Amino acid sequence: MDKLNKILISPKQSIRHALKQIDSAGEKILFVVDSDNTLLGAVTDGDIRRWILKGGKLGKPISSAMRTKPITLSEGYAKSEARDLMVRKSIECIPIINSDSKIVSAIWWVDLFQERTKLNKKLNLPVVLMAGGEGTRLSPLTKVLPKPLMLIGDKPIIERIMEKFSDYGSKDFYLSVNYKSSIIKAYFHDVNLPYNIHYIEEHKPLGTAGSLHLLKGSIKKTFCVSNCDILIEADLADILEYHKKSKSKITLVGSMKHYTIPYGVCGVGPNGMLSKIDEKPEYDFLVNTGMYILEPEVIKLIPKDKPYHMTDLINKLMANGETVGIYPISEKSWLDMGQFEELKDMLKRYGVQ
């Protein structure tokens, strides 16, 4: 029952609260219930994503974003019925309701199937990992070991990133290398991984996108680019589907970031006098995670052998009238090890003290 209670939410709670509750529960769905546990609706991380993309405010009640006719099963259901429903609808949790429409329990994918990853679609998406940076924010650790090989538990961060893409069928990885590239190559020479690894050699630092010019003619279909110090806990198939539906040339994966100013913030009027005080105001932002989906034709826009950043490429596309999409994910779906405090958080999430 404790597991169920973690995914029940009052219709009066804010969408911001629901997003935090989804993160905390580790599930992708919440069921909206009244005080008697009568099912009123359901909201998924995808519903909240769509709410954000259409400009909805996170302070609004969750009832504004919920679906009022969620998929349910009645008491006495057959397991075969639940299995069929989960596979057909690609859902991981179904509420069980009684004759009064009150939730009495729920059934999860893992209750019926051994492997959670069976829900993953196989995309075979080529992946470019930007592994050439010096990792100066993690110095002096990176004076010895390149950041992509820093251990998260018993595996380097780069290997964990590759495993996540491999869950969706990715086999071709292009590693953009520069700083301590010989150490990175030596590591992959010594380990037996079921991937095709290709190296993009930067002879000088080329920024966050400059080395992609070297892939001209090598990648001829939609591909992914990721920084080598992040882990994204999101549905890659859904990101790709959003990218295709929006007809974007690039889709940026953006993470929600919530900030509370721990003071009263003063407003000053045109006469130089105090106009208002906002006590501990809260702000929400979408920030760039460093993961992107790209169409292959954008490679030709990147100059040869010159420092060039992904932001330069995005700005050029927008200036040319092309569509650039953004796919929001929750704050806890983005793990970044770019600085020491963030590295500690990542290690904690992976159970490493």
Side-chain angles (χ1 to χ4, degrees):
M1 201 65 181
D2 284 345
K3 187 176 181 181
L4 176 62
N5 288 334
K6 289 179 180 179
I7 56 172
L8 301 182
I9 187 171
S10 162
K12 296 179 181 179
Q13 290 285 7
S14 70
I15 296 171
R16 180 186 295 113
H17 178 92
L19 194 59
K20 292 179 180 178
Q21 189 170 332
I22 285 175
D23 271 345
S24 175
E27 303 290 345
K28 296 180 179 180
I29 192 168
L30 299 176
F31 300 116
V32 185
V33 296
D34 65 12
S35 58
D36 294 324
N37 266 19
T38 301
L39 180 63
L40 305 176
V43 62
T44 66
D45 57 344
D47 295 325
I48 295 177
R49 186 176 304 113
R50 287 183 283 275
W51 175 266
I52 293 169
L53 288 173
K54 70 179 186 181
K57 302 296 185 183
L58 294 183
K60 290 284 187 179
I62 194 60
S63 56
S64 305
M66 73 179 186
R67 289 176 285 114
T68 56
K69 295 181 179 180
I71 294 169
T72 63
L73 287 167
S74 298
E75 286 184 295
Y77 68 91
K79 284 191 175 182
S80 59
E81 180 187 5
R83 286 193 190 97
D84 177 67
L85 198 54
M86 284 186 170
V87 171
R88 282 192 295 108
K89 299 294 185 179
S90 294
I91 52 179
E92 297 187 37
C93 181
I94 302 175
I96 313 302
I97 59 173
N98 63 18
S99 57
D100 295 322
S101 295
K102 294 181 180 181
I103 293 185
V104 293
S105 62
I107 187 165
W108 279 262
W109 174 275
V110 292
D111 296 330
L112 301 174
F113 303 96
Q114 288 187 342
E115 294 182 18
R116 192 183 187 102
T117 54
K118 285 185 178 178
L119 282 176
N120 292 348
K121 296 178 181 178
K122 301 305 179 185
L123 309 175
N124 195 25
L125 197 69
V127 179
V128 181
L129 299 177
M130 310 306 287
E134 293 186 19
T136 52
R137 293 180 299 170
L138 290 177
S139 182
L141 296 180
T142 48
K143 293 288 185 183
V144 178
L145 196 68
K147 184 165 61 173
L149 295 185
M150 294 193 66
L151 291 176
I152 304 299
D154 60 348
K155 295 177 183 177
I157 176 75
I158 191 170
E159 194 174 332
R160 290 198 178 274
I161 295 170
M162 295 167 92
E163 284 179 348
K164 287 191 174 293
F165 283 107
S166 178
D167 285 344
Y168 289 89
S170 292
K171 296 297 180 186
D172 289 301
F173 292 91
Y174 297 81
L175 274 54
S176 179
V177 295
N178 175 245
Y179 179 70
K180 296 191 179 295
S181 61
S182 60
I183 299 178
I184 295 173
K185 290 179 181 179
Y187 175 80
F188 284 107
H189 181 268
D190 289 341
V191 294
N192 184 24
L193 297 176
Y195 315 128
N196 301 315
I197 298 176
H198 316 270
Y199 295 101
I200 313 168
E201 297 275 1
E202 294 182 49
H203 298 296
K204 63 180 180 181
L206 294 176
T208 55
S211 65
L212 297 182
H213 176 85
L214 300 171
L215 289 172
K216 195 174 181 181
S218 297
I219 293 183
K220 298 180 180 179
K221 63 179 181 178
T222 305
F223 65 103
C224 182
V225 173
S226 174
N227 290 351
C228 225
D229 56 1
I230 63 168
L231 289 168
I232 300 294
E233 304 282 355
D235 186 342
L236 185 59
D238 195 57
I239 298 173
L240 184 61
E241 182 180 0
Y242 168 79
H243 172 79
K244 292 294 187 182
K245 282 185 176 179
S246 64
K247 297 181 179 179
S248 298
K249 294 298 182 183
I250 294 180
T251 292
L252 178 155
V253 177
S255 172
M256 293 301 305
K257 279 289 183 181
H258 178 74
Y259 294 96
T260 300
I261 306 297
Y263 310 104
V265 175
C266 302
V268 179
N271 60 356
M273 305 300 288
L274 182 71
S275 61
K276 63 176 182 177
I277 296 180
D278 291 330
E279 189 61 33
K280 298 179 181 178
E282 299 182 34
Y283 300 96
D284 297 288
F285 302 97
L286 266 177
V287 301
N288 185 2
T289 63
M291 177 176 163
Y292 315 86
I293 305 292
L294 294 84
E295 290 303 312
E297 56 266 29
V298 304
I299 294 175
K300 65 185 180 183
L301 300 176
I302 299 171
K304 180 180 179 181
D305 204 33
K306 290 183 179 178
Y308 200 72
H309 293 290
M310 194 63 75
T311 48
D312 298 325
L313 180 57
I314 288 171
N315 289 333
K316 188 168 188 175
L317 286 167
M318 291 193 296
N320 292 344
E322 300 286 1
T323 301
V324 176
I326 182 166
Y327 183 95
I329 61 174
S330 68
E331 189 164 353
K332 285 193 176 180
S333 295
W334 175 39
L335 297 173
D336 180 13
M337 57 166 276
Q339 300 185 59
F340 281 106
E341 285 304 314
E342 295 162 338
L343 174 58
K344 289 178 183 177
D345 288 341
M346 184 180 287
L347 292 172
K348 185 177 180 181
R349 287 280 293 274
Y350 274 81
V352 182
Q353 299 300 323

